[in-house]
Amino acid sequence: MNNLSINNLEDFLTLSSDELKQLFSQGKTPDTALLHGMAKGLVVKPNWFKKMNLWRGKVFNQSASGAVSGFNRIGLGSLEILRYNFTAEIGKSRFSDQKLLIINHNLPKNPKWVRQFHDEMVEVKPGIYLATSHYKKRNKLELVSYFVLDFNRV
C-alpha cells in the first residue's frame, strides 16, 4: 500500500501529519463485516490529547441486518466505561472522492458536544485502521485528530 513501515499502533506515533495524510489517502475501504468487537485505540495527533490517555478505542457491534454501531472506550487508570454511541456505514468522504467508513456520533443519546464529531476511517493493514476526527464549528468541519484502531489488540 505504501513504503511506510507500520507494524503496530505505536509506529503511527513516528509519522508526520503529511505522512498520516498520505497513508489515509492510500487506505482501503473497510469491510464492515470485519468490524466487530473491541478495538484498542490510540490518538496519534495532537500530542496533548494523546498524553491524556482518556480515550482507549471503540467497541463495534453488528446487528442481524449488518448495521454497525458501537461505543467509545473511555478510561482513567484501571477504570474503563463504554460511552458515546455511534453508528457506522460505508460512504463517500466529505473531503475527497474516497470511499471509506463514516462514523456518526450525531445521535440523540449523545451530549450535544459529542454529536458534533464526524470521523472517517480506512484500513491500512489487516485489522489496523487509521481515522480522522473532525469537529463541527460554525457549520464547518475542522480536523481535530488522527487516531488508529487495532482489532488485533484489546
Side-chain angles (χ1 to χ4, degrees):
M1 182 179 302
N2 58 56
N3 54 8
L4 299 173
S5 177
I6 300 294
N7 296 308
N8 59 58
L9 294 186
E10 290 73 23
D11 290 339
F12 286 90
L13 297 174
T14 66
L15 302 179
S16 69
S17 294
D18 286 342
E19 289 170 321
L20 288 166
K21 186 176 182 178
Q22 174 192 357
L23 188 60
F24 188 86
S25 71
Q26 295 172 346
K28 293 181 359 182
T29 305
D31 179 350
T32 56
L34 300 177
L35 300 176
H36 184 72
M38 195 172 290
K40 179 176 176 57
L42 180 67
V43 174
V44 180
K45 301 275 187 225
N47 289 333
W48 66 266
F49 190 86
K50 172 186 66 181
K51 290 178 183 176
M52 290 175 29
N53 196 30
L54 295 175
W55 181 80
R56 297 190 178 164
K58 293 186 181 288
V59 175
F60 287 78
N61 303 305
Q62 287 214 4
S63 70
S65 67
V68 179
S69 63
F71 296 91
N72 285 279
R73 298 172 56 204
I74 310 294
L76 187 58
S78 62
L79 177 66
E80 183 173 296
I81 60 171
L82 300 180
R83 187 100 192 254
Y84 311 127
N85 300 66
F86 63 85
T87 59
E89 64 185 3
I90 301 298
K92 183 181 163 217
S93 171
R94 291 231 187 135
F95 310 100
S96 71
D97 288 332
Q98 189 172 9
K99 191 175 170 187
L100 39 67
L101 186 78
I102 309 247
I103 300 174
N104 175 25
H105 296 88
N106 190 11
L107 304 173
K109 298 176 190 178
N110 290 332
K112 185 176 180 177
W113 67 271
V114 172
R115 294 194 311 257
Q116 305 307 306
F117 281 95
H118 171 84
D119 298 345
E120 297 187 351
M121 187 172 89
V122 297
E123 183 179 30
V124 293
K125 287 189 96 159
I128 299 179
Y129 300 85
L130 176 62
T132 58
S133 187
H134 294 80
Y135 195 77
K136 187 176 181 181
K137 283 186 182 176
R138 296 180 191 92
N139 292 325
K140 183 180 177 189
L141 288 171
E142 296 181 17
L143 179 66
V144 208
S145 67
Y146 280 95
F147 66 90
V148 289
L149 291 170
D150 187 346
F151 280 85
N152 304 313
R153 293 172 51 192
V154 180

